[in-house]
Amino acid sequence: MRRSLAFLAALTLAATGILAGCGNDDSTASAEGPLRIGYQRFGGLSLVKARNDAPGVEWSLFESGPALTEAIKAGAIDIGQTGEAPPIFAAAAKTPFVIAATSTPSPKSEAVLVKAARGYRSFADLRGKTIALNKGSNVHWLLVKLLEANKMTLADINVKYLKPAEGRPAFDNDQVDAWIIWDPYFALAEQPGVQILADATGVANNREYILAGKDAADRKTEQIKTFLATYEKTTAWGLEHPDERAAVLAPELKIDEATTKRALARAAQPVAPLTAEIGVELQAIADGFSTLELIPGKIDAASLIDSRFTGAAAR
């Protein structure tokens, strides 16, 4: 337990700085400078970094998607990886970005966790209870959809917005009744006495998205395309070699190999085509958050899809 908490605390500290520099190969650099990439531990980009499949790029680590989109807005990184809700919150915050790639759905890699001793049998049992989650992350949309599926509203629960490094100790110490979280934090929290009350199956797709700052998308178009091709190739390798993938990623994640394998088995997914249907899917998410007044105004999700990158990261 102490080791897991230390890992989560390290993620928070690491989110403020660049953890890895450039390699000797400048194949991903140009007159515009090296490609600056924001990643989260465990997503598809983590494997690219761990294998050093894109030498010459600059890597920055972030604890969550909302923190990463803030870096895009500040111009600190060129591209980054998030879940399905952060692009919507970023667009609402007037962050200049486009969507350059996506993955197939991964609904089992985010879940509502409770203590088995509490006796909860369904999400509906959380009426009037306190639920912790990271605001603006993929799990925020999962909460919205679970409330909808159980004919509940935000008024029926108490939401406590906590970052992953804050959510775990709050959950462990019974300061909240439930924690909605994604892998690898999810896998780390699967300790004796912890129950999976629900995951996103049937209610949310939970895709991975690669976002590019608008300026970078214009100035570094070819660099981004080259990197996306590498990202797709590395992702495919990982799916074909699950044991080797876990062995490579465990040291990068600072998680034991067994936990890494368990989380990857449900979270790792292939790259998906960046089609107009993706814009339709994101529009539903945007409209849902807008209706609940969780974001200001309306978002045109279709305008976020950048056709220049269609096919760059999908076979």
Side-chain angles (χ1 to χ4, degrees):
M1 181 71 70
R2 192 173 293 173
R3 181 178 176 184
S4 297
L5 291 176
F7 164 73
L8 291 171
L11 290 186
T12 302
L13 292 173
T16 62
I18 294 174
L19 298 189
C22 301
N24 294 325
D25 186 340
D26 62 357
S27 61
T28 54
S30 73
E32 299 294 343
L35 196 62
R36 301 168 303 162
I37 303 174
Y39 76 108
Q40 299 180 59
R41 290 197 193 276
F42 202 70
L45 299 190
S46 284
L47 186 58
V48 178
K49 180 182 181 294
R51 281 170 46 93
N52 195 31
D53 284 347
V57 307
E58 292 180 353
W59 294 96
S60 296
L61 174 65
F62 296 88
E63 184 186 18
S64 65
L68 189 148
T69 59
E70 283 295 318
I72 290 179
K73 186 174 185 178
I77 58 174
D78 298 318
I79 69 172
Q81 159 216 340
T82 77
E84 58 194 359
I88 301 306
F89 279 79
K94 308 301 181 185
T95 301
F97 76 95
V98 296
I99 294 173
T102 190
S103 73
T104 56
S106 181
K108 292 188 177 297
S109 63
E110 58 177 358
V112 182
L113 303 182
V114 297
K115 297 290 183 65
R118 295 289 186 94
Y120 303 131
R121 293 291 176 263
S122 70
F123 185 83
D125 291 337
L126 296 179
R127 187 182 298 270
K129 306 301 181 181
T130 299
I131 302 175
L133 69 144
N134 193 74
K135 185 176 183 179
S137 288
N138 54 338
V139 291
H140 206 159
W141 181 239
L142 175 57
L143 171 66
V144 169
K145 296 303 289 181
L146 284 171
L147 288 171
E148 180 183 291
N150 287 274
K151 296 180 172 55
M152 296 164 65
T153 70
L154 286 168
D156 292 317
I157 59 170
N158 300 309
V159 179
K160 194 167 187 177
Y161 292 124
L162 297 174
K163 295 177 182 178
E166 301 166 333
R168 176 65 185 275
F171 178 69
D172 287 343
N173 296 321
D174 296 320
Q175 296 169 352
V176 297
D177 298 290
W179 186 30
I180 311 184
I181 192 62
W182 65 91
D183 277 314
Y185 308 103
F186 171 12
L188 284 165
E190 289 182 285
Q191 303 294 324
V194 172
Q195 172 189 349
I196 300 172
L197 194 64
D199 62 26
T201 301
V203 292
N205 276 332
N206 190 35
R207 295 179 189 267
E208 178 178 301
Y209 287 90
I210 304 297
L211 315 183
K214 279 190 176 180
D215 182 60
D218 292 337
R219 293 188 300 104
K220 299 182 178 182
T221 309
E222 294 307 314
Q223 284 175 267
I224 294 173
K225 286 182 178 180
T226 297
F227 177 80
L228 291 177
T230 298
Y231 158 67
E232 190 281 332
K233 183 177 179 180
T234 298
T235 300
W237 175 88
L239 292 169
E240 293 167 2
H241 303 86
D243 291 339
E244 294 94 325
R245 176 184 60 191
V248 169
L249 268 179
E252 171 71 26
L253 302 175
K254 296 181 174 59
I255 303 175
D256 66 273
E257 199 166 317
T259 302
T260 301
K261 278 186 177 181
R262 186 172 71 254
L264 283 167
R266 62 190 171 214
Q269 297 294 330
V271 172
L274 190 61
T275 63
E277 285 71 22
I278 299 298
V280 173
E281 186 175 310
L282 283 171
Q283 189 64 58
I285 298 173
D287 292 345
F289 281 129
S290 180
T291 298
L292 293 171
E293 298 183 344
L294 292 171
I295 60 171
K298 296 286 186 179
I299 301 298
D300 179 8
S303 68
L304 300 175
I305 306 296
D306 195 322
S307 61
R308 288 176 296 181
F309 302 108
T310 300
R315 290 177 174 176

